[in-house]
C-alpha cells in the first residue's frame, strides 16, 4: 500500500482546518443565535416585531459579552430557560435566551446597563429583560421571549432566605405607626412574619401571600382591605428602582416623584422594584371572620356598600370592619374551594340544599380585627353585632369563626398545598379580573352571573365580587380604575384541564363583548391586550402620560416585554 505523503503546506492547512472545527464547536456551545427585532415607528407610538422568517438577520449574543462581574450569573441551559418559559396561567409559553440569577441589586443594574448601552446594528432592538418573582402572572406578563428573565428570588437565596426587614416606629395622629423596608424579591408571607416578630404589620394585603412585593406593586395589590386602606401601592412611601436606562434610583412622593408614581401599578414598564418602604401599624392578635349568605343580589350589594361606608380612625380606634369581600356559591363554584375551607361539612349540606334563583348564592365575607383585651369585656362581639345589625342575609345563614391574624391572612396556602399534592395546582388558569363601575353592577349580574356563567356546567374555582372606593386610590399612579366613586372588582378564578381551557377563554371573551356592546366601561386588572388600540382604550386619559413616562424611563423598551404594550 502506498503511503500518503504530506508536504509542509498541506500539513499546515490540515492543522488549520482541525483548529477551525474545534473553535466552531467551542463557539456553538457558548453562543445563542437570536433574531434581530426591528422597531416599527408610527406618529404616536413604537412597537417591536420579529422580522419574517424568510428575511432574518442574526445577532449573536454570548454570556461572554456581559461584564465579567455578572457573566457567571447568566445561565443558558435548557433546564433554566424552560423553568422561566411559563407562568401560573399556563396559557402562554415563551422561551428566553437565558435566565439571570443576581446576587445583588448591582448585578441587575449591570445587566440593564449592558442592554441599554449595547451596540446594535441599525434597526435592531436591544436585549429585552423581564423581572420574575414567583411567576404568578396569568398571560405571560413575566416572560421574555428570546430575552433574559431575571430570577428575583435569587437575591435572597430563594425560599426561606433571610428577609431584610428594618422597622422604625414613630408617632402620628395619636397612634404608633412606622414602616418596613423590604426587597422587591421578598414574598408577602415573609414580610408578614418578619413584621409580626416586631408586633407590627402592613395594612393592605392580597388574598394570596406567596407573591413578591415587586410583583404586586407593579399591578396594584388588592384584597378585602382595599376599601379601607387602599391598594398596596398607596401604602408605599419610598422605592428603589432600576430603570430601563440601567440607573438605580431612590424615589418617593417628594423625590423623583414622576418615577415613583409611574412604577406603582406600572406593569413593570418603567423599572424593576428592588426595595419598597411600606407603612405598618401595630398588628392585631386575632380576627372575627364572618360569612353571610344572600339569595337577593340587590340586597347583597346594598349591604356590601353600606359596610364599606362605615369607617374612620378616631384616637387610634378603628371604627368599622377591616375587610369586606364577596363571592358566588353555585354549582361551578362550591362553598369550600382552594381559596379557603371555611364551612363545616354540616354547613355545606345546609347551604347546598337552599333553593335560590338561578342557583346562585351570594356570600358576604367580613372580618374585624381585635386584641386579647377586647375579649374580656365582650367589646368585639358587641361592636360586630352593631356593625351587622339590619343586614338582609338569609336568616340562620350567618357563620362565624375566630382565628389568629396570621391564619386569616394566610388562608389560601392550605388550599394551594392540597391541590399541589393532587397535581392540580400547576394547571391552566384562564382567569378574568375586572373592575366594574358600581352603577352597572346589576346589569353585570343579570347577564354574566345569571346567564353566561350558568351556561357552563363545569366546576372551575372561586368567583369573587366586592366593592372598592375610588378615593382610596391615587390617580397619579399608573394603575387604572373606573371613574365612579364606588366600583367592584370581579375575579373569575377558573382552573381547567390542558385540553379545555379554551372553553373558559371563550366565556371570558363573551363577558368582555357583553360589556363593550352595552357600554359598561370595565377596566381589566392584571390586564391583557393583543394590540395597541386595546391598551390605549385601557389607559384612556392616562395613555399619553404612560407613553411619555415610558420614553423617559425605558426609552429603548427593554423592560417587561411580556406585557406586550410596546413590544
Amino acid at each position: 500500500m502506498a503511503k500518503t505523503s504530506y508536504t509542509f503546506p498541506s500539513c499546515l492547512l490540515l492543522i488549520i482546518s482541525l483548529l477551525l472545527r474545534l473553535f466552531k464547536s467551542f463557539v456553538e456551545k457558548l453562543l445563542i443565535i437570536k433574531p434581530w427585532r426591528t422597531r416599527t415607528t408610527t406618529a404616536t407610538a413604537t412597537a417591536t416585531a420579529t422580522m419574517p422568517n424568510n428575511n432574518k438577520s442574526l445577532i449573536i449574543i454570548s454570556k461572554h459579552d456581559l461584564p465579567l462581574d455578572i457573566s457567571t450569573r447568566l445561565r443558558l441551559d435548557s433546564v433554566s430557560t424552560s423553568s422561566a418559559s411559563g407562568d401560573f396561567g399556563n396559557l402562554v409559553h415563551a422561551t428566553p435566551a437565558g435566565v439571570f440569577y443576581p446576587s445583588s441589586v448591582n448585578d441587575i443594574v449591570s445587566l440593564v446597563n449592558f442592554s441599554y448601552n449595547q451596540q446594535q446594528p441599525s434597526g435592531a432592538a436591544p436585549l429585552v429583560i423581564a423581572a420574575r418573582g414567583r411567576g404568578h402572572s396569568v398571560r405571560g406578563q413575566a416572560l421574555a421571549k428570546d430575552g433574559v428573565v431575571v430570577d428575583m428570588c435569587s437575591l435572597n437565596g430563594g425560599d426561606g432566605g433571610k428577609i431584610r426587614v428594618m422597622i422604625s416606629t414613630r408617632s402620628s395622629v395619636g397612634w404608633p405607626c412606622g414602616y418596613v423596608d423590604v426587597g422587591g424579591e421578598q414574598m408577602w408571607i415573609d414580610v408578614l412574619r418578619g413584621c409580626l416578630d416586631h408586633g407590627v404589620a402592613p395594612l393592605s394585603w392580597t388574598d394570596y401571600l406567596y407573591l413578591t412585593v415587586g410583583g404586586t406593586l407593579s399591578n396594584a395589590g388588592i384584597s378585602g382591605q382595599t376599601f379601607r386602606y387602599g391598594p398596596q401601592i398607596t401604602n408605599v412611601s419610598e422605592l428603589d428602582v432600576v430603570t430601563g436606562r440601567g440607573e438605580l434610583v431612590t424615589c418617593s412622593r417628594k423625590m423623583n416623584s414622576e418615577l415613583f408614581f409611574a412604577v406603582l401599578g406600572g406593569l413593570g414598564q418603567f423599572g424593576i422594584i428592588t426595595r419598597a418602604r411600606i407603612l405598618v401599624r401595630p398588628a392585631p392578635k386575632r380576627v372575627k371572620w364572618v360569612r353571610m349568605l344572600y339569595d337577593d343580589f340587590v340586597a347583597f350589594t346594598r349591604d356590601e356598600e353600606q359596610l364599606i361606608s362605615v369607617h374612620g380612625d378616631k384616637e387610634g380606634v378603628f371604627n368599622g370592619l377591616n375587610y369586606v369581600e364577596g363571592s358566588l356559591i353555585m354549582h361551578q363554584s362550591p362553598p369550600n374551594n382552594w381559596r379557603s375551607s371555611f364551612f363545616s361539612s354540616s354547613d355545606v349540606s345546609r347551604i347546598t340544599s337552599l333553593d335560590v334563583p338561578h342557583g346562585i348564592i351570594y356570600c358576604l365575607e367580613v372580618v374585624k380585627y381585635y386584641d386579647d383585651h377586647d375579649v374580656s369585656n365582650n367589646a368585639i362581639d358587641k361592636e360586630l353585632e352593631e356593625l351587622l345589625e339590619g343586614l338582609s342575609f338569609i336568616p340562620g345563614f350567618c357563620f362565624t369563626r375566630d382565628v389568629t391574624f396570621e391564619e386569616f391572612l394566610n388562608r389560601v396556602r392550605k388550599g394551594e398545598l392540597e391541590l399541589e399534592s393532587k397535581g392540580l395546582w400547576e394547571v391552566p388558569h384562564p382567569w378574568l379580573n375586572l373592575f366594574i363601575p358600581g352603577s352597572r353592577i346589576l346589569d353585570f349580574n343579570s347577564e354574566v352571573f345569571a346567564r353566561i356563567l350558568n351556561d357552563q356546567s363545569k366546576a372551575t374555582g372561586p368567583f369573587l365580587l366586592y366593592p372598592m372606593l375610588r378615593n382610596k386610590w391615587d390617580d397619579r399612579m399608573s394603575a387604572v380604575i373606573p371613574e365612579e366613586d364606588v366600583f367592584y372588582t370581579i375575579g373569575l378564578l377558573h382552573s381547567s384541564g390542558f385540553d379545555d381551557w379554551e372553553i373558559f377563554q371563550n366565556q371570558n371573551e363573551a363577558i368582555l363583548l357583553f360589556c363593550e356592546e352595552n357600554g359598561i366601561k370595565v377596566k381589566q386588572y392584571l390586564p391583557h391586550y393583543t394590540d395597541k388600540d386595546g391598551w390605549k382604550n385601557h389607559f384612556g386619559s392616562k395613555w399619553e402620560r404612560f407613553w411619555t413616562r415610558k420614553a423617559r424611563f425605558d426609552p429603548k423598551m427593554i423592560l417587561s416585554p411580556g406585557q406586550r404594550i410596546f413590544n
Side-chain angles (χ1 to χ4, degrees):
M1 180 181 295
K3 293 183 178 180
T4 305
S5 62
Y6 293 96
T7 63
F8 178 79
S10 63
C11 288
L12 181 61
L13 288 174
L14 180 60
I15 292 171
I16 291 174
S17 176
L18 290 172
L19 288 174
L20 285 174
R21 289 182 184 180
L22 289 172
F23 180 75
K24 179 182 178 183
S25 176
F26 175 75
V27 168
E28 285 176 346
K29 292 179 180 179
L30 291 178
L31 301 185
I32 300 171
I33 307 299
K34 181 181 171 191
W36 279 3
R37 279 172 285 182
T38 57
R39 186 167 293 140
T40 305
T41 306
T42 66
T44 57
T46 66
T48 301
T50 302
M51 295 186 69
N53 289 333
N54 60 354
N55 188 25
K56 277 189 178 178
S57 298
L58 295 178
I59 282 180
I60 299 178
I61 296 178
S62 166
K63 61 192 298 183
H64 292 281
D65 290 335
L66 296 176
L68 288 176
D69 58 338
I70 62 170
S71 61
T72 58
R73 302 291 174 188
L74 182 66
R75 296 183 187 173
L76 313 176
D77 59 277
S78 60
V79 173
S80 297
T81 56
S82 177
S83 69
S85 64
D87 60 10
F88 178 73
N90 249 318
L91 303 174
V92 178
H93 293 83
T95 303
V99 180
F100 189 70
Y101 297 89
S103 62
S104 68
V105 172
N106 286 336
D107 286 348
I108 300 174
V109 173
S110 295
L111 176 68
V112 180
N113 240 312
F114 164 76
S115 178
Y116 184 74
N117 293 305
Q118 186 186 30
Q119 295 296 317
Q120 293 100 21
S122 177
L127 182 70
V128 293
I129 298 170
R132 178 189 178 97
R134 302 292 294 179
H136 217 265
S137 60
V138 293
R139 295 284 176 175
Q141 290 94 331
L143 307 185
K145 180 176 173 57
D146 298 328
V148 171
V149 171
V150 179
D151 187 323
M152 296 296 291
C153 293
S154 69
L155 283 174
N156 68 351
D159 293 343
K162 184 178 179 181
I163 185 169
R164 304 192 306 268
V165 178
M166 295 180 294
I167 293 179
S168 173
T169 57
R170 56 187 172 84
S171 178
S172 175
V173 292
W175 60 84
C177 56
Y179 64 84
V180 55
D181 278 335
V182 298
E185 77 282 358
Q186 299 294 345
M187 291 190 296
W188 283 102
I189 183 62
D190 295 327
V191 175
L192 172 63
R193 290 169 177 166
C195 286
L196 289 179
D197 288 342
H198 298 268
V200 297
L203 303 172
S204 188
W205 298 92
T206 54
D207 286 342
Y208 178 62
L209 301 185
Y210 288 76
L211 306 171
T212 60
V213 170
T216 65
L217 296 183
S218 295
N219 288 281
I222 60 172
S223 185
Q225 297 95 348
T226 302
F227 84 93
R228 165 57 43 222
Y229 305 111
Q232 289 180 321
I233 55 175
T234 63
N235 286 268
V236 177
S237 62
E238 187 175 282
L239 297 170
D240 283 345
V241 176
V242 181
T243 71
R245 294 177 178 269
E247 300 168 336
L248 179 60
V249 180
T250 298
C251 55
S252 67
R253 285 174 171 80
K254 295 182 179 180
M255 176 175 56
N256 299 311
S257 59
E258 190 69 16
L259 177 62
F260 179 79
F261 293 124
V263 168
L264 292 170
L267 306 178
Q269 293 301 304
F270 312 106
I272 298 172
I273 297 172
T274 59
R275 180 185 65 89
R277 177 165 291 179
I278 302 163
L279 302 178
V280 297
R281 282 194 189 177
K285 295 292 191 298
R286 302 189 67 83
V287 310
K288 291 287 186 179
W289 187 4
V290 183
R291 289 188 180 182
M292 298 158 281
L293 305 187
Y294 291 71
D295 58 4
D296 184 326
F297 187 73
V298 173
F300 168 71
T301 53
R302 182 183 63 237
D303 286 356
E304 276 193 313
E305 293 185 26
Q306 175 188 325
L307 291 174
I308 69 169
S309 70
V310 180
H311 56 80
D313 286 302
K314 184 178 180 181
E315 298 179 353
V317 178
F318 179 80
N319 301 313
L321 296 165
N322 302 92
Y323 169 102
V324 175
E325 281 198 11
S327 59
L328 276 63
I329 298 174
M330 46 202 303
H331 64 274
Q332 302 93 330
S333 183
N336 288 332
N337 49 57
W338 58 260
R339 185 172 162 267
S340 68
S341 296
F342 181 92
F343 299 105
S344 68
S345 56
S346 59
D347 291 338
V348 170
S349 296
R350 290 181 59 215
I351 293 168
T352 54
S353 67
L354 284 170
D355 184 16
V356 294
H358 306 292
I360 302 175
I361 300 170
Y362 304 98
C363 177
L364 175 51
E365 179 180 28
V366 304
V367 164
K368 178 69 179 174
Y369 300 161
Y370 74 95
D371 291 308
D372 295 336
H373 63 79
D374 296 321
V375 180
S376 59
N377 59 8
N378 296 320
I380 183 64
D381 291 326
K382 292 177 182 177
E383 186 175 355
L384 192 58
E385 183 179 350
E386 291 177 1
L387 287 168
L388 304 184
E389 185 178 3
L391 298 185
S392 302
F393 55 85
I394 302 171
F397 284 85
C398 178
F399 307 86
T400 303
R401 291 182 60 186
D402 190 307
V403 299
T404 67
F405 179 61
E406 181 178 350
E407 182 181 351
F408 168 69
L409 290 182
N410 199 26
R411 60 198 178 278
V412 177
R413 180 63 167 171
K414 181 180 178 181
E416 175 195 7
L417 294 176
E418 288 179 358
L419 290 180
E420 273 188 346
S421 67
K422 300 175 183 177
L424 298 176
W425 185 250
E426 296 183 1
V427 298
H429 297 97
W431 288 8
L432 180 64
N433 296 272
L434 300 174
F435 292 145
I436 310 288
S439 64
R440 302 302 303 275
I441 196 63
L442 298 183
D443 299 323
F444 192 88
N445 172 68
S446 297
E447 177 64 14
V448 175
F449 297 149
R451 192 187 70 79
I452 296 178
L453 290 186
N454 255 332
D455 286 347
Q456 174 53 251
S457 60
K458 294 185 177 182
T460 64
F463 299 153
L464 307 182
L465 164 69
Y466 55 95
M468 298 181 181
L469 299 172
R470 183 176 176 82
N471 63 10
K472 295 296 180 179
W473 295 65
D474 190 329
D475 198 51
R476 293 171 293 180
M477 296 176 181
S478 293
V480 180
I481 58 176
E483 297 292 333
E484 297 186 5
D485 292 339
V486 176
F487 63 94
Y488 282 76
T489 182
I490 308 294
L492 306 181
L493 310 185
H494 301 293
S495 297
S496 72
F498 285 92
D499 58 350
D500 62 356
W501 64 267
E502 289 182 328
I503 295 174
F504 302 104
Q505 174 62 19
N506 293 337
Q507 184 182 81
N508 293 341
E509 291 175 358
I511 293 170
L512 293 172
L513 180 61
F514 162 75
C515 293
E516 180 181 355
E517 291 179 343
N518 289 273
I520 302 177
K521 297 181 179 179
V522 303
K523 296 296 182 182
Q524 288 189 34
Y525 181 61
L526 311 178
H528 167 72
Y529 298 95
T530 58
D531 56 43
K532 186 178 69 177
D533 288 339
W535 284 110
K536 290 180 69 174
N537 182 64
H538 171 76
F539 284 106
S541 61
K542 287 189 175 184
W543 171 252
E544 290 302 324
R545 183 172 65 184
F546 195 85
W547 168 253
T548 301
R549 286 171 168 175
K550 182 69 170 178
R552 179 177 178 183
F553 299 118
D554 185 22
K556 293 188 177 182
M557 303 180 188
I558 292 169
L559 301 176
S560 244
Q563 295 283 0
R564 299 183 65 185
I565 303 175
F566 302 103
N567 303 77

